[in-house]
Amino acid sequence: MTNSILDKPQVGDLVMNWDGEMGIISLIETDKYMCPYFVLWFGGVLQGYTTAHKLREIKAWTINVRLNT
């Protein structure tokens, strides 16, 4: 997993949303999308799904992971 504490989130970074569901950043599209970060979920209700998110959400979720580990 890439360490993104000081940089922008990278592919492979672990995220945990507010409901405690875990996922990894699987793709970053910076060209045309409003929500360029794609997360592949491997736990919780979203398990097996990929969802798109904005940078502010991803930053909050990666902080959540660092505080809980």
Side-chain angles (χ1 to χ4, degrees):
M1 176 169 46
T2 305
N3 182 354
S4 63
I5 292 173
L6 301 174
D7 297 331
K8 288 185 179 179
Q10 300 293 320
V11 171
D13 283 355
L14 184 65
V15 297
M16 183 172 66
N17 70 9
W18 306 118
D19 296 326
E21 297 171 334
M22 303 291 284
I24 59 169
I25 299 174
S26 58
L27 178 67
I28 301 172
E29 287 286 337
T30 57
D31 294 338
K32 305 174 187 174
Y33 299 103
M34 294 286 295
C35 299
Y37 293 89
F38 292 85
V39 176
L40 174 61
W41 299 99
F42 55 85
V45 176
L46 294 173
Q47 183 173 356
Y49 289 96
T50 300
T51 55
H53 302 278
K54 294 181 179 181
L55 178 59
R56 64 183 159 91
E57 291 174 312
I58 298 297
K59 282 186 176 182
W61 292 344
T62 55
I63 288 171
N64 195 24
V65 169
R66 290 191 298 271
L67 292 176
N68 288 314
T69 56

